[in-house]
Amino acid sequence: FLGAGDHDYNAALRLFGSPSMFASDLRLPAMPLNAVGESNWEILVRLGDDLTLINDDQLSALDSYRFFGYDEMKRPFWGYGVESARARVGSGEEIIVLMRSDDQTNIDKALCWMPLGKLYTRKQARLVHQVLDTEGPTEGAMHEILELFRDVFECAVETSWTYEKRLEFYHSFPFEELSTREAVLDFRPVLLGCAAFADFEFKFPECE
């Protein structure tokens, strides 16, 4: 799967090996005004807490991170909620989610902030919009992706990743090619073998 034509894996290697990161054609949205996002540490804690619930069958990985929505041009897309923030709206607050789209027929790996209230789980998308997630990952694959993200964010905390570097990571991560648990497990040593992790000792055990 690493040889698929629609995945620029060289971009992923540049992310982890080059100070210049990526070319300027990426859509990297700024944090919305009046919004407070998650820190690297808060993301790591959230992933750990969610994985505990998932391992105890109290939470679904797909229902928690896989969503359907419409972009600013009213085009439908499926994607992944990778971060959240609290934004001031009038005298109140709303939760907004950073979405990484994987629907390349409409949006090419776009990242965008969206209100949680405008996103739908797979069940909601089927019941409300009569839309099925036919190309998304299995529950096992999503679970392993979250395990991998947790390990990555252990490094992000220790090396103080910036907001921009996190977005570049989300953009380059090959969600589209990791639809099965086996694919994620195969990709794990490739990603963690990148230059940025060469001198980092992970505390979490790798999945077998």
Side-chain angles (χ1 to χ4, degrees), residues 87-93:
R88 292 182 183 176
V89 179
S91 59
E93 281 188 342

Side-chain angles (χ1 to χ4, degrees), residues 27 68-79 101-112 131 135 176:
R27 294 180 57 184
F68 174 79
Y70 293 88
D71 70 359
E72 67 275 6
M73 302 298 293
K74 307 300 182 183
R75 298 175 298 188
F77 72 94
W78 285 96
S101 168
D102 68 359
D103 188 347
Q104 295 190 26
T105 61
N106 287 328
I107 312 170
D108 185 12
K109 293 186 178 179
L111 288 163
C112 63
V131 176
E135 298 182 0
E176 299 84 356

Side-chain angles (χ1 to χ4, degrees), residues 39-77:
S39 66
N40 291 326
W41 172 251
E42 289 169 332
I43 293 171
L44 177 61
V45 171
R46 184 245 302 159
L47 288 167
D49 290 344
D50 286 351
L51 282 165
T52 296
L53 294 174
I54 291 167
N55 289 332
D56 290 340
D57 295 323
Q58 298 181 47
L59 190 70
S60 162
L62 283 174
D63 288 344
S64 301
Y65 286 86
R66 178 79 170 163
F67 298 102
F68 174 79
Y70 293 88
D71 70 359
E72 67 275 6
M73 302 298 293
K74 307 300 182 183
R75 298 175 298 188
F77 72 94

Side-chain angles (χ1 to χ4, degrees), residues 93-182:
E93 281 188 342
E94 72 174 352
I95 297 176
I96 57 176
V97 178
L98 179 62
M99 289 296 296
R100 159 60 158 82
S101 168
D102 68 359
D103 188 347
Q104 295 190 26
T105 61
N106 287 328
I107 312 170
D108 185 12
K109 293 186 178 179
L111 288 163
C112 63
W113 285 100
M114 296 187 63
L116 178 60
K118 293 186 178 181
L119 297 171
Y120 304 88
T121 64
R122 293 172 304 147
K123 182 177 180 179
Q124 291 170 334
R126 176 172 56 84
L127 295 177
V128 177
H129 298 282
Q130 293 75 55
V131 176
L132 299 177
D133 185 12
T134 58
E135 298 182 0
T138 63
E139 175 72 15
M142 192 72 245
H143 187 172
E144 293 298 338
I145 288 172
L146 296 180
E147 294 274 6
L148 182 54
F149 269 42
R150 181 191 59 182
D151 289 359
V152 167
F153 270 90
E154 185 186 349
C155 178
V157 168
E158 293 295 326
T159 57
S160 301
W161 277 19
T162 63
Y163 170 75
E164 290 75 17
K165 183 162 185 176
R166 295 204 306 264
L167 264 61
E168 289 167 342
F169 168 71
Y170 300 140
H171 191 285
S172 69
F173 192 84
F175 287 102
E176 299 84 356
E177 299 167 21
L178 304 179
S179 60
T180 67
R181 180 176 183 272
E182 291 73 22

